[in-house]
Amino acid sequence: MLLPYLHEDLVEAGCDEAGRGCLAGAVFAAAVILPPGFRNEQLNDSKKLTERQRYALREVVEENALAWAVGIVEPAEIDRINILNASFTAMHRAVDKLTIRPQHLLIDGNRFNPYPGIPHTVVVKGDGKYLSIAAASILAKTYRDDYMSRLDEEYPMYDWKKNKGYPTRKHREAVRRYGTTPYHRMSFNLLGDGQLSFDFK
């Protein structure tokens, strides 16, 4: 059973991101404030759940959370500021959109750029330890998956509906064959062989 909070006496938001290791698409992050006493035995790190479980739990989180929000950083901005900073920026944008201002942030990972005026605690593998971070991981993952499925309709040759932009063999072979799209992260090693790809006109 995951822990309900780190600081019982504070309004605490859990934050997590999805899509950091992808070759294409935006990075998504979510921030979630759960109500006092919230419990759910199924809620866990999104990577340990099936797709059906994630979407079912997204409804539970959205219906029960005191506040939740999703932040996004697009590929061009990822290339400009790097993926680590982009992940932090996406979390900041999610916190910006919360309808309740948290008093403390629980961040999945081991580093974070401080959010102005709100203290934070970083928790390695926090999505498997705290309910609010697990809830954020589910929202970030499912909203990003929806986004990649929409992009797949525009560029079906990259198999994004299945790989969600991650560096599978089929994805990299498609980059080699068809070139890149406006959604590819040009600062990443797209071909996996030490070469950066380029946009074919």
Side-chain angles (χ1 to χ4, degrees):
M1 185 71 178
L2 277 60
L3 299 170
Y5 40 70
L6 179 62
H7 296 292
E8 181 178 4
D9 55 336
L10 298 178
V11 177
E12 200 166 62
C15 301
D16 200 5
E17 54 76 26
R20 188 166 154 179
C22 296
L23 303 180
V27 63
F28 277 56
V32 178
I33 300 174
L34 294 173
F38 178 83
R39 296 286 188 279
N40 187 295
E41 292 184 1
Q42 283 73 49
L43 194 57
N44 204 339
D45 172 3
S46 64
K47 296 183 291 296
K48 298 179 180 177
L49 303 170
T50 65
E51 182 177 36
R52 178 175 291 184
Q53 288 173 324
R54 284 194 293 268
Y55 280 95
L57 284 166
R58 182 169 90 178
E59 292 186 15
V60 171
V61 171
E62 292 179 354
E63 289 172 4
N64 288 276
L66 297 177
W68 64 271
V70 174
I72 303 169
V73 175
E74 298 288 353
E77 190 174 1
I78 293 172
D79 288 337
R80 190 167 67 250
I81 66 176
N82 79 48
I83 186 58
L84 182 62
N85 285 321
S87 298
F88 299 155
T89 299
M91 289 187 196
H92 281 223
R93 289 176 180 168
V95 174
D96 287 343
K97 293 163 65 176
L98 289 172
T99 55
I100 297 172
R101 183 176 173 85
Q103 298 168 303
H104 184 259
L105 303 177
L106 271 181
I107 309 296
D108 183 63
N110 60 3
R111 296 172 63 186
F112 187 59
N113 290 338
Y115 187 94
I118 304 178
H120 70 270
T121 301
V122 294
V123 184
V124 175
K125 297 184 179 178
D127 46 5
K129 297 175 182 176
Y130 288 96
L131 287 170
S132 62
I133 301 180
S137 78
I138 286 166
L139 296 192
K141 170 66 174 164
T142 55
Y143 277 99
R144 189 179 187 282
D145 284 357
D146 290 345
Y147 156 87
M148 291 306 299
S149 293
R150 291 193 298 272
L151 297 190
D152 180 80
E153 296 174 6
E154 191 175 351
Y155 293 99
M157 65 283 283
Y158 297 94
D159 201 31
W160 287 339
K161 191 166 187 177
K162 290 184 180 178
N163 64 47
K164 310 305 182 190
Y166 282 92
T168 61
R169 177 177 294 180
K170 185 172 182 178
H171 187 180
R172 282 191 155 132
E173 287 176 351
V175 172
R176 195 180 300 277
R177 180 175 180 182
Y178 301 107
T180 58
T181 70
Y183 302 109
H184 278 98
R185 302 174 185 178
M186 302 306 291
S187 58
F188 280 47
N189 181 1
L190 299 179
L191 297 177
D193 57 3
Q195 301 178 38
L196 294 178
S197 185
F198 55 90
D199 202 354
F200 293 90
K201 298 297 184 185

